[in-house]
């Protein structure tokens, strides 16, 4: 029997408290962080940008991480690989740049379909100060116009998990063509989304009368969206601090919004664009009425399972705050602790305002201490990475793998039910099992 | 710099983790950047362990590099000791920490903890996982058993005859292929023989247990990749001989029993007489005739490959058409096994090279690791696993050893299972025009309404005996078709024309072998500069390529 089941049912505090978490205190932790590094982002980015290749310049550890992290071996020939630094490179017996050039030449000869090559820095390449930006320039000169070579760092010393996508997209921004100053105002949706979701949003924007909508990253490297002072951008993901900064350097303006998770988040996100385009309120309501209705229907069933249940987030993807907001406000869950690897107050201002006042927020991690807090609180559900999930289950604590929240299409109205189901499933399973 | 897509082995510190995770009351403090904690999931997810590996990572970030990573390491050691109170600790660096040269060993020693703290030097840019496991186990054994070593040169006292002979069981580790069940099987075998297991290590051992290793009469080395180095040191230091036969397969298990009996001063005959493996009879029974001369390719770690090659030839009657290993440290063993079989060994940790070799040799069965499973899927070849690295479904819930007499039963089932049964093959040959079994019919088990796989021409094999891939999924067939197309895109200067009659006959060949039949016949015609393929050519080619 689950230990959870024997817990007395706790009173669920009223959720709609005033004030939110805008000025809430945050517990800042510095200790062992049980998180992936930014290289992991390649797992979804290489499927998203269909003619790009990601070459990690790193160690055997990097290569081992990539194949262990997400069961990606289903891809016969993935569009990523690792150039493994060896003893002779470090001992100066080989010129690292020459070696890299050779590896790239072999790779591009093997994959003539590749149009964009990312040289991805890792912990060892950063520590030995291998200048990948110069290497990228050198190689670009050699391979343009057939292949554009860019670089970014996905190293664990600089990036935490989803920050790898931020670094990748940020490296694309200087490459974007300039949008004419006389162009009509355009909308740029920033952050990798599943194609199916991108298509759903595209239809909604069209119905709202927003004509020029582009996406970063685009599905093909040759389709880089232009950017300029006429660009208004919406962040589709909460972890894109550096990309946003660079877009603003190019003159683009961010539309402040909550993130498109759940009904409320999706509505607020679309509304930010609708308001900028002066879409009439009744038009907006008409356009979103049907999908919102579907989402409402889809959530009812899961609210029965989730309402009143206590949830604890370990830091992972920076999606934690928007997810917590969705679970608390739309499904009636109680937030025990919401941990995030990094809290970007500006980009998350709308989310913080919507979170129930008094929510326990933590930033960074000291995993052993956080586990102590988690065990003491005995939540009904814990959102944690793959290293922690089974050990917690073995202690009788139900878990949801956080990585699934990054690999599954969860944004938008038509995925709200799927998103809720991801949290309901572990609890549902516990109910079924008589073992 | 080496271009790598998939790797057979992780870095050496993952090998150290396999030792630490296998043991109890040992803690590993690893100086490593944020992100290296991914290695936990190898144990919690792939091996489904219910506890976190006993590893504390310093998880330093860029901002720490500017300040004091050495202090971060020091405080991590102190905190880990306070929290986990282990009996001993191992400390070391991952690939990145190795570059910043903080000297974890020296730092940890300076703290003066009241437990043994063993520093590990694992050169990440030269060595790999199995080496790391072996080195870690060796350093632990040396540091913990060493203080109890007899004075060098002293005589080994004779065994106390009032107790049963006893041995240590060395090598089983975390993430090993069936190590958990091999330990149970071999412990039982030894008990039946009259030998007690004194310490099993590293799996399930505590540091305290390791201090008692010297008390055993001899050592049983199950996995030389992990325990060979430690066993050699124990032999030198404690005059403990160790076993050299790996008990995989019936023949090797019998030999192992004799070797152990010899070391223990016991009579192996009662044990050998009561042997309970079903493999010899299963392999002898007439249904197994169809296994004769099946062409098999074997790849994995050296221990399992060499053992599998022997079992495949002597106990299944297969032809080994190729074998190899990713473990360069053990290349010599695999090379000599290959030599005995008259084939060339492939020593490579580049899985693309392995794939190329498999594609070239076109075996009927692939025995390998999870990489070979992927290769097999792409090429449409039946496959069974014999060696690490493996994935989550290769840690079965059921008892499934590879070693000992029960292990031999397991081998029989798991290697034969991917193949098609003998009579089934003949029926397919006889009724190849059966209305339910042709390229226009859907697989009957899917019921009506399913369309047939389109990969009709994508077959791999020539003769009806080779019809294993009839059971493959449409997806696999599509993969294969792609592969075939790639191959067929190779320059074919003159393709002979098929006569209508020959073409009709070709269509009678089951769809899953037809592609290969077509290609073979065309190659046959090309070699003979025939410009037309007649019925005669088709059957001449069949005779030529048939065995």
């Amino acid at each position: 029997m689950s230990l959870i089941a024997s817990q007395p049912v706790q009173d669920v505090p009223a959720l709609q408290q005033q004030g939110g978490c805008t000025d809430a205190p945050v517990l800042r932790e510095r200790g062992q962080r049980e998180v992936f590094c930014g290289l992991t982002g390649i797992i979804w980015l290489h499927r998203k940008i269909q003619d790009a290749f990601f070459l990690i310049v790193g160690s055997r550890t990097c290569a081992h991480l990539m194949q262990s992290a997400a069961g990606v071996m289903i891809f016969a020939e993935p569009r990523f690989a690792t150039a493994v630094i060896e003893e002779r490179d470090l001992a100066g017996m080989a010129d690292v740049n020459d070696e890299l050039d050779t590896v790239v030449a072999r790779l591009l000869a093997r994959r003539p379909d590749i149009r964009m090559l990312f040289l991805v820095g890792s912990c060892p390449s950063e520590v030995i100060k291998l200048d990948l930006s110069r290497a990228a320039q050198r190689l670009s000169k050699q391979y343009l116009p057939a292949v554009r070579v860019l670089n970014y760092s996905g190293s664990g010393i600089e990036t935490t998990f989803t920050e790898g996508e931020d670094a990748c997209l940020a490296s694309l921004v200087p490459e974007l063509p300039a949008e004419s100053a006389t162009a009509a105002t355009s909308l740029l949706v920033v952050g990798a989304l599943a194609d199916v979701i991108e298509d759903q949003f595209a239809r909604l924007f069209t119905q709202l009368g927003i004509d020029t909508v582009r996406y970063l990253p685009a599905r093909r490297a040759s389709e880089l969206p232009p950017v300029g002072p006429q660009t208004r951008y919406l962040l589709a993901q909460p972890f894109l601090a550096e990309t946003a900064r660079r877009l603003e350097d190019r003159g683009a303006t961010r539309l402040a919004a909550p993130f498109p998770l759940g009904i409320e988040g999706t509505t607020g996100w679309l509304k930010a664009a609708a308001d900028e385009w002066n879409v009439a309120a009744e038009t907006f309501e008409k356009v979103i009425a049907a999908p919102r209705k579907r989402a409402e229907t889809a959530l009812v069933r899961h609210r029965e399972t989730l309402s009143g249940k206590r949830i604890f987030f370990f830091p992972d993807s920076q999606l934690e705050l928007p997810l917590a907001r969705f679970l608390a406000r739309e499904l009636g869950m109680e937030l025990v602790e919401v941990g995030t690897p990094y809290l970007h107050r500006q980009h998350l201002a709308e989310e913080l305002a919507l979170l129930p006042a008094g929510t326990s927020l933590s930033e960074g991690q000291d995993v052993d201490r956080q586990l102590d807090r988690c065990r003491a609180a005995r939540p009904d559900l814990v959102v944690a990475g793959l290293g922690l999930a089974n050990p917690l289950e073995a202690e009788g604590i139900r878990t949801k793998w956080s990585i699934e929240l990054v690999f599954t299409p969860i944004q938008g109205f038509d995925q709200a039910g799927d998103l809720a189901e991801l949290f309901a499933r572990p609890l549902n399973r516990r109910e079924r099992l008589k073992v | 710099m080496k271009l790598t897509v998939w790797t057979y082995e992780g870095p050496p510190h993952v090998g150290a983790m396999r030792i630490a995770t296998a043991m109890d009351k040992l803690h590993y403090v690893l100086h490593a950047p944020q992100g290296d904690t991914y290695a936990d999931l190898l144990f919690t997810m792939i091996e489904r362990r219910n506890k976190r590996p006993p590893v504390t990572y310093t998880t330093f970030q860029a901002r720490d590099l500017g300040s004091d990573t050495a202090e971060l390491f020091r405080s991590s050691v102190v905190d880990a000791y306070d929290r986990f109170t282990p009996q001993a600790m191992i400390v070391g660096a991952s690939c990145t920490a190795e570059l910043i040269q903080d000297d974890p060993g020296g730092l940890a020693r300076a703290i003066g903890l009241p437990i043994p703290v063993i520093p590990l030097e694992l050169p990440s840019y030269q060595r790999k996982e199995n080496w790391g496991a072996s080195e870690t186990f060796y350093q632990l054994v040396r540091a913990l058993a060493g203080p109890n070593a007899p004075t060098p040169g002293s005589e080994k006292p004779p065994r106390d005859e009032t107790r049963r002979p006893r041995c240590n069981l060395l090598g089983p580790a975390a993430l090993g292929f069936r190590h958990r069940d091999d330990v149970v099987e071999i412990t039982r075998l030894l008990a039946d023989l009259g030998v007690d297991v004194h310490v099993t290590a590293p799996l399930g051992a505590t540091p305290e247990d390791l201090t008692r290793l010297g008390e055993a009469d001899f050592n049983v080395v199950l996995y030389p990749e992990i325990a060979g180095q430690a066993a050699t040191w124990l032999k030198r230091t404690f005059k403990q001989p160790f076993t050299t036969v790996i008990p995989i397969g019936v023949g090797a298990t019998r030999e192992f029993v004799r070797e152990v009996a010899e070391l223990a001063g016991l009579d192996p005959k009662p044990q050998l007489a009561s042997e309970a493996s079903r493999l010899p009879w299963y392999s002898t029974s007439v249904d197994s005739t169809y296994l004769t001369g099946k062409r098999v390719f074997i790849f994995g770690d050296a221990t399992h490959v060499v053992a599998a090659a022997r079992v495949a030839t002597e106990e299944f009657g297969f032809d080994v058409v190729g074998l190899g290993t990713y473990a360069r440290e053990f290349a010599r063993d695999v090379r000599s096994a290959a030599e005995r079989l008259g084939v060339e060994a492939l020593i490579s940790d580049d899985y693309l090279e392995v794939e190329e070799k498999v594609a070239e040799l076109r075996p009927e069965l692939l025995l390998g690791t999870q990489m070979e499973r992927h290769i097999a899927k792409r090429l449409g070849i039946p496959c069974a696993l014999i060696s690490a690295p493996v994935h989550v479904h290769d840690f079965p819930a059921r008892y499934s050893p590879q070693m000992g007499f029960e292990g031999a039963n397991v081998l029989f089932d798991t290697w034969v299972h991917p193949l098609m049964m003998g009579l089934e093959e003949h029926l397919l040959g006889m009724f190849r025009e059966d209305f339910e079994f042709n390229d226009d019919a859907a697989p009957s088990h899917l019921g009506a309404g399913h369309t047939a796989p389109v990969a009709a021409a994508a077959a791999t094999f020539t003769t009806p005996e080779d019809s294993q891939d009839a059971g493959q999924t449409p997806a696999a067939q599509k993969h294969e078709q792609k592969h075939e197309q790639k191959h067929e895109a190779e320059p074919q200067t003159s393709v002979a024309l098929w006569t209508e009659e020959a073409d009709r006959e070709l269509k009678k060949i089951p769809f899953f072998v037809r592609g290969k039949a077509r290609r073979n016949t065309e190659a046959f015609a090309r070699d003979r500069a025939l410009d037309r393929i007649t019925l005669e050519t088709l059957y001449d080619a069949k005779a030529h390529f048939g065995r």
Side-chain angles (χ1 to χ4, degrees), chain B residues 455-475:
Chain B
T460 325
F461 302 96
T462 29
T463 50
E465 302 99 278
D466 298 313
S467 49
Q468 301 90 332
D469 59 342
Q472 78 188 54
T473 62

Side-chain angles (χ1 to χ4, degrees), chain B residues 309-433:
Chain B
R310 175 176 173 182
V311 176
T313 47
E314 295 179 5
E315 298 175 23
F316 283 73
F318 291 159
D319 282 342
V320 174
V321 294
L323 81 175
T325 184
Y326 55 82
R328 282 180 196 281
E329 291 94 338
F330 288 79
R332 207 187 323 159
D333 300 348
V334 175
R335 282 211 181 89
S336 52
E339 209 170 299
R340 283 196 297 277
L341 294 164
V343 295
E344 203 185 326
L346 174 63
I347 312 297
S348 172
D349 61 355
D350 182 346
Y351 102 110
L352 293 174
E353 218 176 303
V354 179
E355 179 170 71
E356 216 168 280
K357 193 78 192 166
V358 173
E360 175 199 318
L361 291 171
R362 291 262 151 188
E364 295 160 74
L365 177 66
L366 195 49
L367 299 175
T369 71
Q370 63 171 346
M371 309 301 181
E372 283 65 48
R373 177 166 39 217
H374 287 279
I375 291 169
K377 222 185 255 179
R378 275 197 290 284
L379 301 181
I381 299 171
C383 177
L385 261 66
I386 57 153
S387 162
V390 293
H391 212 49
V392 60
H393 39 281
D394 305 306
F395 291 94
R398 68 178 186 281
Y399 181 58
S400 187
Q402 296 285 290
M403 292 184 173
F405 293 120
E406 180 60 24
N409 295 339
V410 171
L411 295 185
F412 188 87
D413 290 348
T414 45
W415 294 9
V416 166
H417 177 84
L419 304 173
M420 191 170 284
M421 302 304 291
L423 278 181
E424 222 175 328
E425 289 185 350
H426 295 301
L427 288 170
L428 286 172
M430 272 180 73
F431 301 110
R432 56 196 174 197
E433 286 177 279

Side-chain angles (χ1 to χ4, degrees), chain A residues 22 45 80 90 97 113 138 178 195 254 274 318-319 327 331 348 352 375 413 423:
Chain A
T22 304
L45 287 168
F80 63 78
L90 296 173
N97 285 304
D113 51 324
R138 181 180 69 239
D195 290 352
R254 183 171 71 93
Q318 293 190 44
L319 282 164
L327 294 171
L331 294 153
L348 287 159
L352 284 166
R375 289 180 184 120
F413 291 122
F423 294 92

